């Protein structure tokens, strides 16, 4: 096709688009098809990805993921007095946590341990850590990769939910929160491999599918 013919063809197609009725490519709700995907203009999705990779935006994104996790799984479990043993209710809640974590293999988690104010702060620090470790061990027993979940910090008695010097089951707890993204080679940042993993799950190929080197 010559340049002249190509120019005429493009002009003709543009004229057709200008004359087409607005409802031709709209949804039943009257909005343009693909409006959600194109919101903000061309390249908006790329801009979002770049923002997520910045430290401040990544922290906000992690907070959002933590809220999502807590809305879909019981993020907090409780303990008996002076105990780090998991009762039947705590185990059931941790199984729900494990299901969510297994369904989101590209996210890492931390488990924070807490205690009530009975006893010394030093003792409660150790007790909180034992509780956090008990929760992590149970998650690992449910099939969670030990690299995806860790018990690092114990707040002991310093962050009570109930302001009391006495016994409080609400204060004897562990809380599971999102830490970041699982990508140790890149400091937890999102990258092409993360997106490729999402794509594999989307098309039903599984997490362990090998991708050829030319992709």
């Amino acid at each position: 096709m010559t340049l002249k013919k190509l120019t005429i063809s493009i002009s003709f197609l543009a004229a057709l688009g200008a004359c087409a009725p607005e409802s031709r490519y709209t949804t039943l709700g009257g909005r343009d098809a693909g409006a959600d995907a194109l919101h903000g203009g061309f390249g908006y999705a790329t801009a979002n990805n770049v923002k997520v990779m910045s430290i401040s935006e990544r922290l906000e994104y992690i907070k959002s993921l933590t809220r999502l996790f807590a809305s879909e799984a019981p993020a907090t479990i409780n303990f008996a007095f002076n105990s780090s043993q998991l009762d039947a209710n705590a185990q059931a809640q941790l199984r729900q946590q494990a299901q969510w974590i297994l369904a989101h293999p590209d996210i890492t988690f931390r488990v924070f341990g807490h205690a009530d104010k009975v006893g010394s702060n030093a003792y409660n620090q150790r007790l909180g850590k034992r509780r956090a470790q008990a929760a992590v061990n149970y998650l690992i027993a449910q099939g969670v990769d030990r690299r995806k979940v860790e018990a690092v910090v114990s707040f002991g008695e310093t962050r009570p939910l109930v302001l009391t010097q006495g016994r409080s089951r609400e204060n004897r707890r562990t809380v599971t929160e999102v830490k970041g993204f699982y990508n140790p080679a890149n400091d937890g940042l999102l990258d092409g491999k993360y997106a490729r993993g999402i794509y594999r799950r989307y098309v039903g190929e599984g997490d362990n599918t090998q991708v050829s080197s030319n992709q």
Side-chain angles (χ1 to χ4, degrees), residues 29-152:
R31 301 180 63 219
D32 291 340
D36 291 334
L38 295 177
H39 176 70
F42 183 77
Y44 189 70
T46 300
N48 268 344
N49 286 337
V50 171
K51 287 177 65 178
V52 167
M53 290 183 192
S54 71
I55 297 297
S56 60
E57 292 293 338
R58 181 160 41 128
L59 290 176
E60 289 302 316
Y61 193 66
I62 288 172
K63 291 179 182 178
S64 297
L65 281 175
T66 294
R67 289 192 293 268
L68 176 64
F69 169 71
S71 72
E72 297 181 346
T76 301
I77 65 172
N78 298 101
F79 294 81
F81 178 71
N82 194 30
S83 174
S84 59
Q85 296 296 313
L86 302 170
D87 60 22
N89 187 54
Q91 292 178 12
Q93 292 173 315
L94 285 170
R95 285 194 293 271
Q96 293 180 58
Q97 288 189 23
Q99 290 174 2
W100 203 96
I101 294 172
L102 290 169
H104 300 81
D106 301 297
I107 302 175
T108 59
F109 296 80
R110 277 180 173 164
V111 179
F112 298 92
H114 300 263
D116 59 26
K117 286 185 172 293
V118 179
S120 69
N121 182 59
Y123 180 81
N124 286 331
Q125 286 280 338
R126 294 191 296 270
L127 179 58
K129 183 62 177 292
R130 290 200 301 272
R131 287 170 173 165
Q133 193 61 58
V136 166
N137 290 342
Y138 194 86
L139 291 172
I140 292 172
Q142 300 304 304
V144 173
D145 189 331
R146 65 177 62 251
R147 295 171 297 180
K148 308 292 182 62
V149 59
E150 56 183 345
V152 178

Side-chain angles (χ1 to χ4, degrees), residues 181-194:
F181 303 101
Y182 182 65
N183 183 11
N186 198 25
D187 190 31
L189 294 176
L190 297 176
D191 61 8
K193 292 184 178 180
Y194 177 86

